[in-house]
Amino acid sequence: MSGRALLMWDEAVTGYDFGPQHPMDPVRLALTMGLVRSFGLDGAVDVVAARPAGDSTLRLVHREDYVAAVKAASADPRHADQGYGLGTVDDPAFEGMHEASALIAGQSVAAAEAVWRGEAEHAVNFAGGLHHAMPGAASGFCVYNDASLAIARLLELGAERVAYVDVDVHHGDGVQAAFWEDPRVLTISLHEHPRTLFPQTGWPEETGASGPGEGGAVNVALPAGTGDAGWLRAFHAVVPELLADFRPQVLVTQHGADTHFDDPLAHLAVSLDAQRAVQEACHELAHAHSGGRWVALGGGGYAVVDVVPRSWTHLVGIAAHAPVAPETVVPSSWRDEVYARTRQLGPGRMTDGRWPVDFRDWSAGYDPADRLDQAVLATRRAAFPLRGLLA
């Protein structure tokens, strides 16, 4: 296996653009790539542009009639069919929507193929992670579910165990739905509690279809306001033990940056330092349990200047085995780019000054009156026994 990492990038992914009033501003992708280049990380990885996912690949997850509906809306947005989730407030139709969505999906599928075939050890597609799209509908700013497509392609290539870990603030509902009945895929999602956030799913009791799929879905529903120590405590109380038991051949992770305390669409209080800590943990878990095979995706994140580019640049650096130190000053050239593109002032340092982030490990015991510990306990009690593990 090559020790090199891949960074999937094609400038055309910024064509995934729902319009000037939509929170998913594609400038977040351009600024991330600009920051990656400012640190010279594009020299520490192989930057690759893959082809768009074709119809046969899209149909690994998505229904044929849905793909046809996306194409129709893409050719003429006036023909968007809201029955397929298209032309809605969350997912407005735009010209070229199919092409841009298929291009993002193609990057994630190619990343999975390269990692599976040993052409690269790690691969990053920060334009991906569009985890809400369903087999027959767009949802939550997501048209094609590139994460599910990457996993489905791994299964098609012969993988017998693929683990998916999603740390976006929103539940990874589309990926869970795609593999609800498939024991070859373990989906783990840590997200804000469905009582307080879209898509109102991801309860601890959602554990997979009865029968072979039972225990294949694991959900940690975090209380609104959860900060660094609680977020890391929950991650380490659930994810490492499950991966050690499952022994995935490939680890696919989704790193939505919308857990951050500055994100305008959610209610967690996580810092860039904690996001970086989880990225490092995922990297270590891939080496510990999946032979180093790691596909890392982006996801949500709507503080498009202050948070997203820094978070995903850390992800690229970690995957490249060239991590950017938390205290690093942001290059002035990139801040100039930020101002030129957005007329905003960019951040001055690479994290929020909280490194290293401390948390209390689950093995030290728990407090049954603590809301965060209650959330972890609910997950462990619902899912762990189904996998033969102690709650």
Side-chain angles (χ1 to χ4, degrees), residues 204-282:
E205 295 78 17
E206 296 172 32
T207 55
S210 58
E214 196 168 44
V218 180
N219 289 289
V220 187
L222 301 167
T226 297
D228 289 358
W231 194 61
L232 290 174
R233 176 169 167 79
F235 179 92
H236 286 281
V238 172
V239 177
E241 191 172 348
L242 289 169
L243 295 186
D245 171 70
F246 187 62
R247 297 176 296 108
Q249 293 163 297
V250 184
L251 177 63
V252 180
T253 58
Q254 196 268 21
H255 297 270
D258 42 10
T259 51
H260 195 271
F261 52 74
D262 276 344
D263 196 89
L265 299 189
H267 317 99
L268 296 191
V270 173
S271 71
L272 275 155
D273 302 84
Q275 290 178 350
R276 185 183 185 279
V278 161
Q279 294 165 3
E280 286 199 330
C282 288

Side-chain angles (χ1 to χ4, degrees), residues 133-146:
M134 293 292 176
S139 177
F141 313 163
C142 305
V143 177
Y144 293 141
N145 196 317
D146 64 286

Side-chain angles (χ1 to χ4, degrees), residues 16 35 91 136 146 178 187 213 237 239 256 264 268 292 314 322 337 366 371 384 388:
Y16 190 82
L35 190 54
D91 296 279
D146 64 286
T187 65
V239 177
L268 296 191
H314 280 300
E337 180 185 353
Y366 60 85
R371 289 198 308 150
F384 276 46

